[in-house]
Amino acid sequence: MLAKFTGWLLLGLIRLLTGAQARWWGCPPKAEQRIYFANHQSHLDLVMIWAALPEELRSITRPIAARDYWATTPFKRWITTEVFNAIYVERGGSAPGSTPPPPGSAEALLPLQPLIEALRSGDSIIIFPEGTRGHTGEPQKFKSGLFTLAQMFPDAVLVPAWIDNVQRVMPKGEVVPVPILCSVTFGAPLKLAEGEERRLFLDRAREAVIALRYV
């Protein structure tokens, strides 16, 4: 009960500060299993895209949350697990100079395991394929996780999304949000083509996200 009340309170606050406008440009909101993938410029991205979804989709859609940021205090842990129903992921990657594990290997799949379990249970998920926040106008190169999930769950609908202006609501280093009109534009679904190479698919997915910036 408390989580539900907090969710409604937070939803109202987010919409007051950001507008949290959803623009369904390439597909309608639909209760089907989806993998939403978006640009990443702020810790508030997961909050923004969660708030932009209609209620019937919020209830079946789980955003990812960086454990090293969102699990650092009891309140953050409570709100991410009880209100957002988020999936904790570990940030980082291979050490400098080391060789990344081969795509599809057990070692490469380990960081994706929480996402795999959520998709196997029938949930939709929201991911940020850059892996870390960008500080330029365009997303950084996408990491391989999106490709792996697209291979493993071919029936999940891949929906690109562009989150606009949220980095101005909470600039890096600031603790007090600034009211700014924000929006999330959802684009036309993508499909992984048979035999498509990993980097070609990831570049195509990244371009689909960038293209939504201008619609």
Side-chain angles (χ1 to χ4, degrees), residues 36-59:
Y36 298 94
F37 57 98
N39 58 312
H40 190 26
Q41 294 188 324
S42 167
H43 285 305
L44 288 182
D45 287 338
L46 80 87
V47 180
M48 176 66 188
I49 200 166
W50 172 84
L53 291 172
E55 182 181 2
E56 63 271 20
L57 297 191
R58 282 200 307 274
S59 64

Side-chain angles (χ1 to χ4, degrees), residues 116-165:
I116 293 169
E117 291 173 5
L119 288 165
R120 281 178 177 162
S121 72
D123 293 326
S124 294
I125 63 172
I126 301 166
I127 67 173
F128 306 101
E130 297 168 77
T132 188
R133 289 181 297 159
H135 302 293
T136 62
E138 295 188 350
Q140 303 173 73
K141 277 192 172 184
F142 283 3
K143 295 186 177 179
S144 61
L146 177 61
F147 176 78
T148 301
L149 295 175
Q151 279 188 317
M152 293 183 68
F153 299 92
D155 293 331
V157 180
L158 308 174
V159 179
W162 177 266
I163 304 172
D164 190 46
N165 273 341

